[in-house]
Amino acid sequence: MNSAAFLDPALPFGNDAPGGGHWKRLVSLGDSFTAGLGDPEPGSPGGIRGWADRIAEELAALRADFSYANLAVSGLVLQEIVDLQLERAIALQPDLVTLSAGGNDLVFHRRDPDRLAVDLDAAVAALSATGATVVIFTGPDWGHTPVFGRIRGKVAVFNENIRTIAARHHGVIADLWTMRELSDPRMWDPDRLHFSPLGHHTIAGMVLDTLQVPHTLVPLRPKPLPAPGWRQTRTEDLSWATHYLFPWMAQRLRPHPPESPAAPKRPDPGPVLRVTASPAGSL
């Protein structure tokens, strides 16, 4: 299948966000991005926070009966997210859903973005049929990175499919691709694949703005970085490859027995307490 076969030019591109923060139950589906990897939770050794927790805190401030569940599990591909999380999410009866899936398929498994879109379309259709507002994420633009930049074209094709899916099912697009501020390396974890606390904070603000929800997440503008010389850039790239890229490759090439799926981050809906620590750590 090619993108022309999947995309329908008659469909409008845009967001159908009711706004106002009237939602009372948020359920988030996804992988490590939605789980919040790269954003340690203050006062909780080994815990992670992330953009989904941050928007839940803001929505909880708008109504006392708000609840939040996060079904995300690190490392899952799109089909695993559908198989393990979709039915559970619908059973929780949310009126607001976030879904980010497909990143691991594109980065680590080289899957075809058009075939991925067919699977994603079915999942979004099922979620939308419940009457919930469905927020769908586009992938970020890795064009500035030396390795992940090679899949930039595939990510762009997948993103165009995502825009069509959102239009078809009246979904809301959380558009990471258009966030030029994400080109700042401080938005990213040292592994260059996940976001830093600053990145999660910035993304949470974008999602709330897209949903037209008033919030307290003031944009944080770190001071400009000096342009690195070629020696510094080469040293940083070599360090990253040594500590992250080569171990990832070795892990995927080494045979290992199947493992039981990890537990979701926050499987049951519950109230949300605001975290008062600095939202983005040291800049």
Side-chain angles (χ1 to χ4, degrees), residues 166-219:
R168 178 178 289 126
H169 302 296
H170 307 286
V172 177
I173 299 170
D175 202 350
L176 298 182
W177 181 267
T178 61
M179 296 181 70
R180 298 300 95 185
E181 57 267 50
L182 296 184
S183 64
D184 189 314
R186 288 167 292 186
M187 294 284 180
W188 295 84
D189 185 78
D191 68 6
R192 302 185 182 180
L193 180 63
H194 301 96
F195 290 97
S196 67
L198 175 60
H200 282 280
H201 173 92
T202 303
I203 291 166
M206 178 273 291
V207 174
L208 291 165
D209 289 341
T210 301
L211 290 171
Q212 303 172 27
V213 173
H215 61 86
T216 65
L217 301 182
V218 178

Side-chain angles (χ1 to χ4, degrees), residues 9 32 45 51 70 92 98 162 208 266 268-269 271:
S32 57
W51 62 265
N70 189 323
L92 293 178
T98 68
I162 287 172
L208 291 165
R266 186 183 171 108
D268 300 312

Side-chain angles (χ1 to χ4, degrees), residues 18-167:
H22 66 279
W23 298 281
K24 65 179 182 180
R25 175 166 293 178
L26 164 65
V27 174
S28 295
L29 296 79
D31 51 28
S32 57
F33 167 64
T34 299
L37 205 63
D39 186 14
E41 184 176 11
S44 176
I48 50 178
R49 192 180 178 196
W51 62 265
D53 285 16
R54 293 168 187 269
I55 68 169
E57 292 165 15
E58 297 294 322
L59 291 169
L62 299 177
R63 56 182 301 161
D65 60 345
F66 179 82
S67 62
Y68 161 57
N70 189 323
L71 307 181
V73 175
S74 294
L76 298 188
V77 296
L78 191 154
Q79 192 59 54
E80 290 173 327
I81 291 171
V82 171
D83 292 343
L84 298 173
Q85 300 175 23
L86 182 61
E87 185 176 344
R88 172 62 177 163
I90 292 173
L92 293 178
Q93 299 182 317
D95 52 7
L96 177 62
V97 176
T98 68
L99 172 61
S100 176
N104 288 321
D105 298 81
L106 294 174
V107 173
F108 297 117
H109 300 277
R110 300 182 180 180
R111 283 205 63 195
D112 178 78
D114 295 315
R115 293 186 181 277
L116 277 178
V118 174
D119 297 335
L120 182 65
D121 181 76
V124 174
L127 292 168
S128 180
T130 69
T133 300
V134 182
V135 180
I136 319 166
F137 285 78
T138 61
D141 185 355
W142 274 305
H144 59 283
T145 61
V147 175
F148 298 135
R150 297 178 181 179
I151 63 168
R152 187 176 189 236
K154 282 192 172 184
V155 175
V157 170
F158 190 44
N159 286 347
E160 288 306 299
N161 285 330
I162 287 172
R163 297 180 198 284
T164 298
I165 291 168

